[in-house]
Every structure is written in C-alpha cells, then in structure tokens.
Amino acid sequence: MSKEISLSAIKADIGGLVGHSGIHPALLDRAQEEMAAAKKKGVLVDFHVTHCGDDLELIMTHTHGVDSEKCHTLAWETFSACTQVAKELHLYGAGQDLLSDAFTGTVRGMGPGLAEMSFVERTAETILVLMADKTAAGAWNLPLYKMFADPFNSAGLVIAPVMHEGFRFEVLDMKANRVIVLDAPQEIYDLLMFIGASGQYVVRTIWSKKGEIAASSSTQKLAHIAGKYVGKDDPVCIVRSQAEFPAVGEVLEPFTNPFIVAGWTRGSHHGPLIPCSLEQATPSRFDGPPRVVALGFQLADGRLVGPRDMFADIAFDEARRKANKIADYLRLHGPFEPHRLPLEEMEYTTMPQIMERLAGRWQPAEEEKAPAVAGR
Ligand code: F6R
Ligand code: MG
Ligand code: MG
C-alpha cells in the first residue's frame, strides 16, 4: 500500500492589527521561521503560512497522521512564539486563542481550530483550503452540502459516474458531543434537518461512498471550550477536489451567494459571508462582515504547489456587491434579531450578567384568561 500523506490546517487568533481587523506581518514572518525549521528537521514535508483577517493559519503536510503529537506540538509552539511577538508589539488580544498554558500534546480543546486528513496522494491531488474570519464553526454546513449533495450546484453529482453514488456526511452535535453519519442523496432530508441548524450541528467529515476522505472541517467552538465569549471560532476546512470529488468550480460555486452566517461584531450578529481575496480579508466595517478566503494547491509528493488565491476573481465581484447590500440592510436592524443572534447564542456574552443583575426585578405576570362568552 502506498504511504499516506497527512494534511493539517491549524489556526489561531493570537493578536490583531488593528483591533481584530487583520494580522501583523511580523507574526507571519515568525511562523514562517518556525515552520521552516521544522521542515528542515524533517517534522514537516511542507507548509504554507497564511492568514484570514486576524487568524494565523498554518497549512502543513507531514507523515505523522491526524491528531499527531508532533504536528500539534509544532503548531502550539509556533502560536506561542508568535504570541511573544504579538505581546512585544502590543497587538490586540495577544495570545487570545491559546486558552491554557498546560499543553498536553494536542491542540484539541485548547483554543486553536483544526482540520486534518490523511490519504494516499492521487497523481494530481487538488486541494482547497477554506478559511473564514468573524464567523462560527457551522459556517461550512451550507457550502459543504451544496458541494457534495446538491446537483444544482455540483453538476458532477449527475454527470460524472465517479460522483454519481453520492457522499457520506459525518455530523457532530456540538451540544451533546455525539456524531451521526448520514448518506447523500439517500438521507438528505434527515441530513438537512440537522445541518440547517448550524449553531448546534456541524458537518465534520465527508467521505466518498468508497470510503475516501473528501472534506474535513474545524468544529471547535471557542465559547464552549472557554465557557464564555473569547472570540469567534473562525473555522477552517479542507476539501479534496477534481476527478471523484467536486471540481474546483463546484467547490467555489456555493460562495457566489453570500449566505448568512453567525459572527460579525462581538460574535453576536448575523451577516453575509463575503468571498474575498487574501488582500481583501480585512474585516473592518462593524468588525466585519464575515470573510472567506480559498487557497488552492496541487500536492506533489506532499509538497504544497501553489497557492492560488481562488476568490481573487472578478466572477465573485457580484457576490461581494450583494454581500455589501445585505450588510447595509441587516445593519439597519441594530440590536434587534435577526441581525443580533438569538438569545440562546448570547449565553456566552453579557446576557447571563444582565439576567443575574435584573433577576429580582422580574414579577409574576397575571394569568391571561379568555373572556367569558355569553351562552357557553
Ligand atoms: C468578533 C470580534 C470583534 C470583537 C470586538 C470587541 O469576532 O473579534 O468584533 O468582539 O472588537 O472586542 P473586545 O471585546 O476585545 O474589545
Ligand atoms: Mg481577534
Ligand atoms: Mg478572527
């Protein structure tokens, strides 16, 4: 059997310039140094350091498998080294996503988000890494569904014999911490019942019916880990593309509609997800609106050839224009739902404090009774 290559995308917000709107180049430089040293030592096959908004993104190939201590330790140490730089520069929220000092060999449950997969590299292995800022885990539900289950989006589901069987979705229930596997197209109505509620259910993994990994997304919910709001999850997702998987254009097509996601300012507002180039991934208006960047690579024996900045294309201009119009419209709602998130999602912000402060002032309301009707 040919040897498997592992692809890990691990990200953390460890300090912003200015506020939460972007990243300082010194952090990217520091991460680059750490990664280059690890590659030299043979820990990594290859890497690409990038960012989306204020999130530092480490894209790594290696041979240690998913959840490897070596790779996670490297990511953690890189984030820690960058945090020092962020502290020296007094960047905003230095070390924000490193929630604990007690690192135990995995970044899971420690704050950073991660998407990982292992596979035997195809002759031409096309990979897309989707990275978002100012939004929550669950933001990938809609686009992943469209890519892998909607024939109106992915023509290959109808036309390509290798995709015609459909795909298998693993859904994580973030509240109950349990998973279910559902088949598309056979069980799409059941699947949609869950993943349409992206605040609770998130698509974690997708496989082909032959069992080949197709997509992996970060499902870490920062607020659940920290028990309070410390910043939004800003998730990452890896998608394999072409041949038996959706074509590059089919992976990107869902983003031509800037669909609504949870996040934006103070992680407490619904807003449109704007597909944009790396250069445009600088959320500033009302700390947003939320952004998504897509970097494309070809793998060559684990080497990351690329990237191409996939949304740096005039074909996404209309999506961006539409997103700005939606943003104007939603902003007019100010602190009202549905612009502001529903109360259950505000549990991790100031809501509990307000409830506690006003607890004694709530009085029982008189019972409402239907007026008596004559003759009954
Ligand atoms: C959203 C985000 C920002 C901050 C906001 C307030 O994910 O990071 O909108 O919530 O700028 O930041 P603090 O609370 O640090 O002053
Ligand atoms: Mg931030
Ligand atoms: Mg961020």
Side-chain angles (χ1 to χ4, degrees):
M1 202 183 122
S2 328
K3 207 165 165 17
E4 289 199 332
I5 188 86
S6 300
L7 180 55
S8 302
I10 308 187
K11 49 84 36 191
D13 174 353
I14 39 112
L17 176 79
V18 172
H20 294 280
S21 68
I23 200 163
H24 193 289
L27 300 193
L28 297 169
D29 291 348
R30 191 63 223 271
Q32 184 79 22
E33 281 168 26
E34 296 285 321
M35 294 275 113
K39 183 176 169 182
K40 212 168 167 190
K41 276 193 229 151
V43 178
L44 296 181
V45 176
D46 205 1
F47 68 89
H48 182 74
V49 172
T50 187
H51 74 105
C52 180
D54 58 2
D55 290 272
L56 177 60
E57 313 262 353
L58 310 174
I59 301 168
M60 300 167 276
T61 55
H62 53 90
T63 53
H64 314 301
V66 299
D67 274 324
S68 115
E69 188 169 340
K70 272 190 186 160
C71 176
H72 284 210
T73 304
L74 171 64
W76 185 263
E77 286 175 353
T78 302
F79 292 139
S80 303
C82 292
T83 296
Q84 287 315 312
V85 178
K87 283 185 174 160
E88 281 158 28
L89 294 170
H90 293 219
L91 297 182
Y92 196 73
Q96 177 189 287
D97 286 357
L98 306 189
L99 299 180
S100 165
D101 293 333
F103 181 71
T104 54
T106 175
V107 298
R108 281 187 195 282
M110 303 292 288
L114 76 150
E116 296 187 293
M117 55 168 72
S118 295
F119 49 79
V120 176
E121 189 183 296
R122 296 171 293 167
T123 314
E125 183 68 56
T126 304
I127 296 287
L128 290 159
V129 183
L130 303 168
M131 293 163 276
D133 190 30
K134 304 293 178 274
T135 186
W140 308 126
N141 283 9
L142 185 153
L144 284 174
Y145 177 82
K146 293 196 82 133
M147 289 170 213
F148 288 95
D150 179 5
F152 279 71
N153 178 87
S154 293
L157 293 167
V158 177
I159 295 170
V162 281
M163 280 176 69
H164 204 80
E165 288 291 303
F167 291 88
R168 190 154 281 160
F169 287 66
E170 181 195 39
V171 177
L172 170 72
D173 175 346
M174 290 187 289
K175 284 199 180 141
N177 199 26
R178 56 183 181 169
V179 291
I180 190 169
V181 175
L182 293 165
D183 277 354
Q186 293 83 352
E187 300 177 289
I188 55 170
Y189 298 158
D190 293 333
L191 176 66
L192 286 168
M193 183 51 100
F194 294 110
I195 68 172
S198 52
Q200 180 168 351
Y201 299 96
V202 285
V203 177
R204 186 163 75 171
T205 318
I206 298 175
W207 300 275
S208 71
K209 293 284 172 62
K210 288 202 177 86
E212 272 289 306
I213 184 110
S216 171
S217 80
S218 67
T219 54
Q220 289 72 36
K221 195 102 184 133
L222 259 181
H224 288 182
I225 298 171
K228 60 175 189 208
Y229 178 74
V230 284
K232 219 53 184 173
D233 316 320
D234 303 338
V236 58
C237 182
I238 304 171
V239 181
R240 293 174 81 189
S241 173
Q242 300 294 143
E244 65 267 51
F245 303 117
V248 167
E250 292 168 339
V251 174
L252 303 179
E253 185 66 8
F255 300 98
T256 53
N257 181 37
F259 53 90
I260 303 290
V261 294
W264 208 341
T265 196
R266 299 182 184 279
S268 305
H269 295 83
H270 283 123
L273 186 64
I274 311 186
C276 64
S277 66
L278 263 183
E279 208 185 332
Q280 296 170 326
T282 50
S284 47
R285 180 191 176 178
F286 196 53
D287 285 359
R291 306 294 149 113
V292 54
V293 160
L295 292 190
F297 299 90
Q298 289 294 138
L299 287 194
D301 301 318
R303 214 154 27 96
L304 288 159
V305 180
R308 280 218 57 234
D309 188 352
M310 305 309 292
F311 291 136
D313 178 356
I314 54 162
F316 290 93
D317 286 352
E318 287 314 311
R320 293 188 266 267
R321 247 190 292 278
K322 190 172 170 186
N324 279 324
K325 287 208 172 115
I326 296 169
D328 281 341
Y329 173 73
L330 281 172
R331 282 299 303 121
L332 293 177
H333 294 76
F336 284 80
E337 296 178 10
H339 183 28
R340 201 186 71 186
L341 297 192
L343 272 191
E344 63 185 85
E345 306 242 2
M346 305 289 289
E347 268 172 35
Y348 294 95
T349 58
T350 44
M351 183 58 191
Q353 284 136 280
I354 295 177
M355 268 301 191
E356 203 183 314
R357 185 162 48 78
L358 299 180
R361 290 178 49 191
W362 289 96
Q363 300 299 323
E366 60 285 356
E367 226 175 276
E368 296 213 3
K369 280 206 180 102
V373 180
R376 283 207 194 152

